[in-house]
Amino acid sequence: MTDFLTLAEDIAREAGDMLLAKRPTMSAEIETKSSPTDVVTALDTASELLIRERIEAARPGDRILGEEGGEAPGESDVRWIVDPIDGTVNFLYGLPDWAVSIAVEVGGRVVAGVVNVPTRGEVFTAALGEGAWLGGARLRCNTGVPLPQALVATGFGYSQAGRAVQGEVVAEVLPRVRDIRRGGSCAIDLCSVAAGRVDAYYERGINPWDYGAAGLVATESGARLGGLNGRPVSPDFAICAAPGLFEELHDLLAPLDPERGA
């Protein structure tokens, strides 16, 4: 795992440095994916290409799943899960909350993860069973926080119908918690739970490349990460918080049927 983590961190740092040097303006070449608000820039593609090339050079035969390029087959039971820019809209607008995320999965289980937030000079790392770290500091999520005092992060999807449901859900959650934060990057939100910068996080519509690395950072900090009604985290739904608060937030969200219309 140390070798995996070192390689992932080196690559994530290189991609982050490239993106900082070449960060675009709103006049940059932009395409859309699932909706007019779901954007991809030329640098999303360039970042993923750099990451794939570095992994393939160091680990030929491993599989790679990337947000932009899909899954590349391989011969080993190792799969790299890559988000070249998590928070592309923030990146495009010059907002600081965007990240390069690289996770390593062995036999279907994530064993190492790196989330590089270049604008903040922060690199979150985690290895299975070895804790979560920011630089030389070990991360511990906030514990013992009751739901009414919880600062809760969330995000919104790209489809119009899905956003309508998310708006209804957050309207029910907001009066029952300390406050809501919407940063625009799932990976950073999960790392923020790990670092104690927020107490909890929930969202519908995130993908494995969004939570692959950051999910391990969160769970290695002591947080619980899962879906609704005992299901694992998935694109259907994600909740992350320390045990106790996780259950309280789940019991608030589940009756709201936040997955409806999916």
Side-chain angles (χ1 to χ4, degrees):
M1 285 190 290
T2 300
D3 291 342
F4 284 137
L5 194 60
T6 299
L7 179 58
E9 182 173 350
D10 288 346
I11 297 171
R13 286 182 180 275
E14 183 180 356
D17 289 345
M18 181 273 290
L19 291 166
L20 273 181
K22 298 183 177 181
R23 189 160 33 162
T25 65
M26 279 297 293
S27 62
E29 181 180 347
I30 302 169
E31 299 177 1
T32 59
K33 294 187 286 187
S34 62
S35 80
T37 56
D38 184 7
V39 300
V40 56
T41 69
L43 284 174
D44 286 90
T45 305
S47 176
E48 184 164 319
L49 180 60
L50 182 156
I51 294 167
R52 285 178 181 270
E53 288 176 345
R54 298 296 184 269
I55 294 170
E56 289 165 358
R59 297 276 313 181
D62 288 356
R63 294 176 291 146
I64 304 172
L65 172 63
E67 179 178 10
E68 308 306 336
E71 183 150 7
E75 302 162 358
S76 78
D77 65 347
V78 176
R79 183 172 75 157
W80 297 71
I81 305 172
V82 174
D83 194 336
I85 307 176
D86 184 47
T88 300
V89 173
N90 286 346
F91 177 73
L92 187 61
Y93 275 81
L95 296 170
D97 281 352
W98 55 271
V100 178
S101 173
I102 303 176
V104 186
E105 186 183 77
V106 179
R109 188 172 190 184
V110 175
V111 300
V114 175
V115 177
N116 178 18
V117 188
T119 55
R120 301 191 185 280
E122 295 183 336
V123 180
F124 297 86
T125 62
L128 185 63
E130 297 182 9
W133 301 81
L134 175 56
R138 185 157 189 174
L139 300 177
R140 301 286 188 185
C141 68
N142 295 335
T143 59
V145 180
L147 185 64
Q149 295 175 22
L151 184 62
V152 179
T154 192
F156 305 107
Y158 296 110
S159 77
Q160 198 171 45
R163 284 183 168 189
V165 173
Q166 289 170 323
E168 293 170 6
V169 170
V170 77
E172 293 293 329
V173 172
L174 181 57
R176 294 167 173 79
V177 299
R178 182 188 298 276
D179 208 344
I180 293 288
R181 291 292 181 268
R182 195 279 198 259
S185 164
C186 165
I188 295 176
D189 284 343
L190 286 168
C191 289
S192 293
V193 173
R197 295 171 178 174
V198 297
D199 301 303
Y201 162 78
Y202 77 90
E203 189 168 354
R204 166 188 170 183
I206 60 174
N207 292 291
W209 46 81
D210 298 313
Y211 60 79
L216 184 65
V217 173
T219 55
E220 285 293 320
S221 79
R224 179 179 172 187
L225 175 65
L228 291 173
N229 302 312
R231 298 194 297 271
V233 61
S234 75
D236 292 330
F237 209 74
I239 304 172
C240 184
L245 178 57
F246 179 100
E247 288 78 11
E248 283 192 81
L249 182 57
H250 173 277
D251 291 348
L252 171 60
L253 289 165
L256 302 175
D257 191 15
E259 297 173 327
R260 67 186 185 274

Short mmCIF file of all heavy atoms in Angstrom, two decimals, residues 58-108:
data_model
loop_
_atom_site.label_atom_id
_atom_site.label_comp_id
_atom_site.label_asym_id
_atom_site.label_seq_id
_atom_site.Cartn_x
_atom_site.Cartn_y
_atom_site.Cartn_z
N ALA A 58 4.28 3.09 -14.91
CA ALA A 58 4.75 2.49 -13.65
C ALA A 58 4.12 1.15 -13.36
O ALA A 58 4.73 0.28 -12.73
CB ALA A 58 4.47 3.45 -12.49
N ARG A 59 2.86 0.97 -13.82
CA ARG A 59 2.10 -0.23 -13.48
C ARG A 59 1.40 -0.79 -14.72
O ARG A 59 0.17 -0.84 -14.79
CB ARG A 59 1.05 0.12 -12.41
CG ARG A 59 1.60 0.60 -11.08
CD ARG A 59 1.98 -0.52 -10.17
NE ARG A 59 0.94 -1.54 -10.10
CZ ARG A 59 1.02 -2.64 -9.36
NH1 ARG A 59 2.10 -2.85 -8.63
NH2 ARG A 59 0.05 -3.53 -9.35
N PRO A 60 2.15 -1.25 -15.71
CA PRO A 60 1.50 -1.83 -16.89
C PRO A 60 0.68 -3.05 -16.50
O PRO A 60 1.11 -3.87 -15.68
CB PRO A 60 2.69 -2.21 -17.79
CG PRO A 60 3.86 -2.30 -16.87
CD PRO A 60 3.63 -1.31 -15.79
N GLY A 61 -0.50 -3.15 -17.07
CA GLY A 61 -1.38 -4.27 -16.76
C GLY A 61 -2.49 -3.94 -15.78
O GLY A 61 -3.47 -4.68 -15.68
N ASP A 62 -2.35 -2.83 -15.02
CA ASP A 62 -3.43 -2.42 -14.12
C ASP A 62 -4.58 -1.81 -14.92
O ASP A 62 -4.38 -1.23 -16.00
CB ASP A 62 -2.94 -1.39 -13.11
CG ASP A 62 -2.04 -2.00 -12.05
OD1 ASP A 62 -1.86 -3.23 -12.04
OD2 ASP A 62 -1.49 -1.22 -11.23
N ARG A 63 -5.78 -1.90 -14.39
CA ARG A 63 -6.94 -1.26 -14.99
C ARG A 63 -7.03 0.18 -14.50
O ARG A 63 -6.59 0.50 -13.41
CB ARG A 63 -8.22 -2.01 -14.64
CG ARG A 63 -8.30 -3.40 -15.24
CD ARG A 63 -9.54 -4.13 -14.76
NE ARG A 63 -9.44 -4.44 -13.34
CZ ARG A 63 -10.47 -4.46 -12.50
NH1 ARG A 63 -11.69 -4.14 -12.93
NH2 ARG A 63 -10.30 -4.78 -11.24
N ILE A 64 -7.61 1.03 -15.32
CA ILE A 64 -7.79 2.44 -14.95
C ILE A 64 -9.21 2.87 -15.29
O ILE A 64 -9.65 2.70 -16.44
CB ILE A 64 -6.79 3.35 -15.69
CG1 ILE A 64 -5.34 2.90 -15.44
CG2 ILE A 64 -6.98 4.81 -15.26
CD1 ILE A 64 -4.32 3.64 -16.29
N LEU A 65 -9.91 3.42 -14.31
CA LEU A 65 -11.22 4.02 -14.52
C LEU A 65 -11.10 5.52 -14.33
O LEU A 65 -10.74 5.98 -13.24
CB LEU A 65 -12.25 3.45 -13.53
CG LEU A 65 -13.62 4.14 -13.52
CD1 LEU A 65 -14.34 3.98 -14.85
CD2 LEU A 65 -14.48 3.62 -12.37
N GLY A 66 -11.38 6.29 -15.39
CA GLY A 66 -11.31 7.74 -15.30
C GLY A 66 -12.62 8.38 -15.67
O GLY A 66 -13.37 7.83 -16.48
N GLU A 67 -12.90 9.53 -15.08
CA GLU A 67 -14.17 10.20 -15.35
C GLU A 67 -14.34 10.52 -16.83
O GLU A 67 -15.42 10.36 -17.39
CB GLU A 67 -14.28 11.49 -14.54
CG GLU A 67 -15.58 12.23 -14.81
CD GLU A 67 -15.76 13.49 -14.00
OE1 GLU A 67 -14.80 13.91 -13.33
OE2 GLU A 67 -16.88 14.05 -14.03
N GLU A 68 -13.28 10.97 -17.46
CA GLU A 68 -13.42 11.42 -18.85
C GLU A 68 -13.20 10.30 -19.86
O GLU A 68 -13.84 10.27 -20.91
CB GLU A 68 -12.43 12.57 -19.12
CG GLU A 68 -12.49 13.72 -18.12
CD GLU A 68 -13.88 14.29 -17.95
OE1 GLU A 68 -14.72 14.17 -18.86
OE2 GLU A 68 -14.14 14.85 -16.86
N GLY A 69 -12.30 9.37 -19.57
CA GLY A 69 -11.93 8.36 -20.55
C GLY A 69 -12.54 6.99 -20.35
O GLY A 69 -12.25 6.07 -21.12
N GLY A 70 -13.37 6.83 -19.30
CA GLY A 70 -13.97 5.53 -19.05
C GLY A 70 -12.96 4.54 -18.51
O GLY A 70 -11.93 4.92 -17.94
N GLU A 71 -13.24 3.24 -18.67
CA GLU A 71 -12.38 2.21 -18.09
C GLU A 71 -11.49 1.58 -19.13
O GLU A 71 -11.95 1.14 -20.19
CB GLU A 71 -13.22 1.13 -17.40
CG GLU A 71 -12.37 0.07 -16.72
CD GLU A 71 -13.02 -0.55 -15.51
OE1 GLU A 71 -14.20 -0.25 -15.24
OE2 GLU A 71 -12.35 -1.33 -14.82
N ALA A 72 -10.20 1.53 -18.81
CA ALA A 72 -9.22 0.85 -19.66
C ALA A 72 -8.98 -0.53 -19.08
O ALA A 72 -8.67 -0.67 -17.89
CB ALA A 72 -7.91 1.65 -19.70
N PRO A 73 -9.14 -1.58 -19.86
CA PRO A 73 -8.97 -2.94 -19.34
C PRO A 73 -7.52 -3.22 -18.96
O PRO A 73 -6.59 -2.56 -19.44
CB PRO A 73 -9.42 -3.82 -20.50
CG PRO A 73 -9.19 -2.99 -21.72
CD PRO A 73 -9.45 -1.58 -21.30
N GLY A 74 -7.34 -4.20 -18.10
CA GLY A 74 -6.00 -4.60 -17.69
C GLY A 74 -6.01 -6.06 -17.29
O GLY A 74 -7.04 -6.72 -17.32
N GLU A 75 -4.86 -6.54 -16.89
CA GLU A 75 -4.71 -7.96 -16.58
C GLU A 75 -4.61 -8.24 -15.09
O GLU A 75 -4.67 -9.39 -14.67
CB GLU A 75 -3.44 -8.49 -17.28
CG GLU A 75 -3.47 -8.29 -18.79
CD GLU A 75 -2.09 -8.39 -19.41
OE1 GLU A 75 -1.11 -8.57 -18.65
OE2 GLU A 75 -2.00 -8.29 -20.64
N SER A 76 -4.45 -7.22 -14.27
CA SER A 76 -4.28 -7.43 -12.83
C SER A 76 -5.59 -7.18 -12.10
O SER A 76 -6.59 -6.75 -12.69
CB SER A 76 -3.19 -6.50 -12.29
OG SER A 76 -3.68 -5.19 -12.12
N ASP A 77 -5.57 -7.45 -10.79
CA ASP A 77 -6.76 -7.17 -9.98
C ASP A 77 -6.69 -5.79 -9.35
O ASP A 77 -7.45 -5.46 -8.45
CB ASP A 77 -6.95 -8.23 -8.91
CG ASP A 77 -5.83 -8.24 -7.88
OD1 ASP A 77 -4.79 -7.59 -8.11
OD2 ASP A 77 -5.99 -8.89 -6.83
N VAL A 78 -5.76 -4.95 -9.86
CA VAL A 78 -5.61 -3.57 -9.38
C VAL A 78 -6.32 -2.63 -10.34
O VAL A 78 -6.12 -2.71 -11.55
CB VAL A 78 -4.13 -3.18 -9.25
CG1 VAL A 78 -3.99 -1.72 -8.84
CG2 VAL A 78 -3.42 -4.09 -8.26
N ARG A 79 -7.13 -1.74 -9.78
CA ARG A 79 -7.79 -0.72 -10.60
C ARG A 79 -7.56 0.64 -9.98
O ARG A 79 -7.74 0.84 -8.78
CB ARG A 79 -9.30 -0.99 -10.70
CG ARG A 79 -10.00 0.01 -11.61
CD ARG A 79 -11.45 -0.37 -11.87
NE ARG A 79 -12.32 -0.11 -10.72
CZ ARG A 79 -13.64 0.06 -10.81
NH1 ARG A 79 -14.24 -0.01 -11.98
NH2 ARG A 79 -14.36 0.26 -9.73
N TRP A 80 -7.14 1.58 -10.82
CA TRP A 80 -6.96 2.97 -10.42
C TRP A 80 -8.22 3.74 -10.78
O TRP A 80 -8.75 3.61 -11.89
CB TRP A 80 -5.75 3.57 -11.12
CG TRP A 80 -4.46 2.89 -10.77
CD1 TRP A 80 -4.06 1.64 -11.15
CD2 TRP A 80 -3.43 3.41 -9.94
NE1 TRP A 80 -2.84 1.36 -10.62
CE2 TRP A 80 -2.41 2.43 -9.88
CE3 TRP A 80 -3.25 4.61 -9.27
CZ2 TRP A 80 -1.24 2.61 -9.14
CZ3 TRP A 80 -2.07 4.81 -8.54
CH2 TRP A 80 -1.09 3.82 -8.48
N ILE A 81 -8.73 4.54 -9.83
CA ILE A 81 -9.96 5.30 -10.03
C ILE A 81 -9.60 6.78 -9.99
O ILE A 81 -9.14 7.28 -8.96
CB ILE A 81 -11.01 4.95 -8.96
CG1 ILE A 81 -11.27 3.44 -8.94
CG2 ILE A 81 -12.31 5.70 -9.21
CD1 ILE A 81 -12.14 2.98 -7.79
N VAL A 82 -9.82 7.47 -11.10
CA VAL A 82 -9.23 8.79 -11.32
C VAL A 82 -10.29 9.84 -11.61
O VAL A 82 -11.14 9.65 -12.48
CB VAL A 82 -8.24 8.73 -12.52
CG1 VAL A 82 -7.72 10.11 -12.86
CG2 VAL A 82 -7.10 7.76 -12.23
N ASP A 83 -10.23 10.94 -10.88
CA ASP A 83 -10.97 12.15 -11.25
C ASP A 83 -9.94 13.23 -11.52
O ASP A 83 -9.29 13.72 -10.59
CB ASP A 83 -11.92 12.59 -10.14
CG ASP A 83 -12.94 13.60 -10.63
OD1 ASP A 83 -12.65 14.29 -11.63
OD2 ASP A 83 -14.03 13.71 -10.02
N PRO A 84 -9.74 13.60 -12.79
CA PRO A 84 -8.67 14.55 -13.12
C PRO A 84 -8.90 15.94 -12.58
O PRO A 84 -7.94 16.66 -12.28
CB PRO A 84 -8.65 14.53 -14.64
CG PRO A 84 -10.04 14.13 -15.04
CD PRO A 84 -10.48 13.17 -13.99
N ILE A 85 -10.16 16.35 -12.48
CA ILE A 85 -10.53 17.60 -11.80
C ILE A 85 -11.90 17.38 -11.17
O ILE A 85 -12.91 17.31 -11.88
CB ILE A 85 -10.61 18.82 -12.74
CG1 ILE A 85 -9.34 19.02 -13.55
CG2 ILE A 85 -10.90 20.09 -11.93
CD1 ILE A 85 -9.42 20.16 -14.57
N ASP A 86 -11.95 17.25 -9.87
CA ASP A 86 -13.24 17.20 -9.18
C ASP A 86 -13.58 18.62 -8.76
O ASP A 86 -12.87 19.22 -7.95
CB ASP A 86 -13.17 16.28 -7.96
CG ASP A 86 -14.54 16.14 -7.31
OD1 ASP A 86 -15.52 15.91 -8.04
OD2 ASP A 86 -14.63 16.27 -6.07
N GLY A 87 -14.65 19.15 -9.34
CA GLY A 87 -14.99 20.55 -9.12
C GLY A 87 -14.63 21.39 -10.33
O GLY A 87 -14.08 22.49 -10.19
N THR A 88 -14.96 20.88 -11.52
CA THR A 88 -14.56 21.56 -12.75
C THR A 88 -15.15 22.97 -12.87
O THR A 88 -14.50 23.88 -13.36
CB THR A 88 -14.96 20.72 -13.98
OG1 THR A 88 -14.30 19.45 -13.91
CG2 THR A 88 -14.57 21.40 -15.28
N VAL A 89 -16.39 23.15 -12.41
CA VAL A 89 -16.99 24.48 -12.49
C VAL A 89 -16.21 25.46 -11.62
O VAL A 89 -15.93 26.60 -12.02
CB VAL A 89 -18.47 24.43 -12.10
CG1 VAL A 89 -19.06 25.84 -12.01
CG2 VAL A 89 -19.27 23.61 -13.12
N ASN A 90 -15.82 25.03 -10.41
CA ASN A 90 -14.98 25.89 -9.58
C ASN A 90 -13.67 26.22 -10.28
O ASN A 90 -13.20 27.37 -10.27
CB ASN A 90 -14.67 25.18 -8.25
CG ASN A 90 -15.86 25.14 -7.31
OD1 ASN A 90 -16.84 25.85 -7.50
ND2 ASN A 90 -15.77 24.30 -6.30
N PHE A 91 -13.05 25.21 -10.87
CA PHE A 91 -11.80 25.38 -11.61
C PHE A 91 -11.96 26.42 -12.72
O PHE A 91 -11.13 27.31 -12.89
CB PHE A 91 -11.40 24.02 -12.19
CG PHE A 91 -10.18 24.01 -13.04
CD1 PHE A 91 -8.91 24.16 -12.49
CD2 PHE A 91 -10.27 23.82 -14.42
CE1 PHE A 91 -7.77 24.12 -13.28
CE2 PHE A 91 -9.13 23.79 -15.21
CZ PHE A 91 -7.88 23.94 -14.64
N LEU A 92 -13.05 26.32 -13.44
CA LEU A 92 -13.30 27.22 -14.56
C LEU A 92 -13.52 28.66 -14.11
O LEU A 92 -13.06 29.60 -14.76
CB LEU A 92 -14.52 26.71 -15.34
CG LEU A 92 -14.87 27.40 -16.64
CD1 LEU A 92 -13.74 27.27 -17.64
CD2 LEU A 92 -16.15 26.80 -17.21
N TYR A 93 -14.17 28.83 -12.98
CA TYR A 93 -14.48 30.17 -12.49
C TYR A 93 -13.38 30.76 -11.60
O TYR A 93 -13.50 31.88 -11.11
CB TYR A 93 -15.79 30.15 -11.69
CG TYR A 93 -17.03 30.28 -12.54
CD1 TYR A 93 -17.56 29.17 -13.20
CD2 TYR A 93 -17.68 31.51 -12.69
CE1 TYR A 93 -18.70 29.28 -13.98
CE2 TYR A 93 -18.83 31.62 -13.47
CZ TYR A 93 -19.33 30.51 -14.11
OH TYR A 93 -20.46 30.63 -14.88
N GLY A 94 -12.31 30.02 -11.37
CA GLY A 94 -11.24 30.52 -10.52
C GLY A 94 -11.51 30.40 -9.04
O GLY A 94 -10.85 31.06 -8.23
N LEU A 95 -12.47 29.55 -8.66
CA LEU A 95 -12.73 29.28 -7.25
C LEU A 95 -11.75 28.21 -6.76
O LEU A 95 -11.32 27.35 -7.52
CB LEU A 95 -14.17 28.83 -7.05
CG LEU A 95 -15.24 29.87 -7.41
CD1 LEU A 95 -16.63 29.25 -7.42
CD2 LEU A 95 -15.18 31.04 -6.43
N PRO A 96 -11.41 28.23 -5.47
CA PRO A 96 -10.32 27.37 -5.01
C PRO A 96 -10.66 25.91 -4.79
O PRO A 96 -9.75 25.07 -4.73
CB PRO A 96 -9.90 28.02 -3.69
CG PRO A 96 -11.13 28.70 -3.21
CD PRO A 96 -11.84 29.19 -4.43
N ASP A 97 -11.93 25.56 -4.64
CA ASP A 97 -12.27 24.20 -4.25
C ASP A 97 -12.40 23.27 -5.45
O ASP A 97 -13.50 22.96 -5.92
CB ASP A 97 -13.55 24.19 -3.41
CG ASP A 97 -13.29 24.60 -1.98
OD1 ASP A 97 -12.11 24.73 -1.60
OD2 ASP A 97 -14.27 24.79 -1.22
N TRP A 98 -11.26 22.79 -5.93
CA TRP A 98 -11.21 21.73 -6.93
C TRP A 98 -10.01 20.86 -6.60
O TRP A 98 -9.08 21.29 -5.92
CB TRP A 98 -11.13 22.29 -8.35
CG TRP A 98 -10.01 23.24 -8.61
CD1 TRP A 98 -10.03 24.61 -8.45
CD2 TRP A 98 -8.68 22.92 -9.06
NE1 TRP A 98 -8.80 25.15 -8.78
CE2 TRP A 98 -7.95 24.14 -9.16
CE3 TRP A 98 -8.03 21.74 -9.41
CZ2 TRP A 98 -6.62 24.20 -9.58
CZ3 TRP A 98 -6.70 21.78 -9.83
CH2 TRP A 98 -6.02 23.00 -9.91
N ALA A 99 -10.05 19.62 -7.05
CA ALA A 99 -9.04 18.67 -6.61
C ALA A 99 -8.73 17.64 -7.69
O ALA A 99 -9.54 17.38 -8.58
CB ALA A 99 -9.53 17.95 -5.35
N VAL A 100 -7.55 17.04 -7.57
CA VAL A 100 -7.18 15.86 -8.34
C VAL A 100 -7.31 14.67 -7.40
O VAL A 100 -6.72 14.68 -6.31
CB VAL A 100 -5.74 15.96 -8.87
CG1 VAL A 100 -5.36 14.68 -9.63
CG2 VAL A 100 -5.58 17.19 -9.76
N SER A 101 -8.07 13.67 -7.82
CA SER A 101 -8.36 12.53 -6.94
C SER A 101 -7.90 11.23 -7.60
O SER A 101 -8.28 10.95 -8.74
CB SER A 101 -9.86 12.47 -6.64
OG SER A 101 -10.19 11.29 -5.93
N ILE A 102 -7.12 10.44 -6.88
CA ILE A 102 -6.64 9.16 -7.37
C ILE A 102 -6.79 8.12 -6.27
O ILE A 102 -6.24 8.29 -5.17
CB ILE A 102 -5.17 9.22 -7.83
CG1 ILE A 102 -4.98 10.30 -8.91
CG2 ILE A 102 -4.72 7.86 -8.35
CD1 ILE A 102 -3.52 10.48 -9.34
N ALA A 103 -7.53 7.05 -6.55
CA ALA A 103 -7.68 5.94 -5.62
C ALA A 103 -7.13 4.68 -6.25
O ALA A 103 -7.12 4.52 -7.47
CB ALA A 103 -9.16 5.75 -5.27
N VAL A 104 -6.69 3.76 -5.40
CA VAL A 104 -6.21 2.45 -5.84
C VAL A 104 -7.08 1.38 -5.20
O VAL A 104 -7.20 1.33 -3.97
CB VAL A 104 -4.73 2.23 -5.46
CG1 VAL A 104 -4.24 0.91 -6.07
CG2 VAL A 104 -3.86 3.39 -5.90
N GLU A 105 -7.64 0.56 -6.05
CA GLU A 105 -8.55 -0.49 -5.62
C GLU A 105 -7.91 -1.84 -5.93
O GLU A 105 -7.42 -2.06 -7.04
CB GLU A 105 -9.87 -0.34 -6.38
CG GLU A 105 -11.00 -1.25 -5.99
CD GLU A 105 -12.20 -1.02 -6.90
OE1 GLU A 105 -12.17 -1.50 -8.05
OE2 GLU A 105 -13.14 -0.34 -6.46
N VAL A 106 -7.89 -2.74 -4.96
CA VAL A 106 -7.33 -4.08 -5.15
C VAL A 106 -8.42 -5.10 -4.81
O VAL A 106 -8.94 -5.10 -3.69
CB VAL A 106 -6.09 -4.31 -4.27
CG1 VAL A 106 -5.56 -5.73 -4.47
CG2 VAL A 106 -5.00 -3.30 -4.59
N GLY A 107 -8.76 -5.93 -5.78
CA GLY A 107 -9.80 -6.92 -5.55
C GLY A 107 -11.14 -6.31 -5.18
O GLY A 107 -11.90 -6.89 -4.41
N GLY A 108 -11.41 -5.13 -5.71
CA GLY A 108 -12.69 -4.47 -5.46
C GLY A 108 -12.75 -3.62 -4.21
O GLY A 108 -13.80 -3.05 -3.90
#
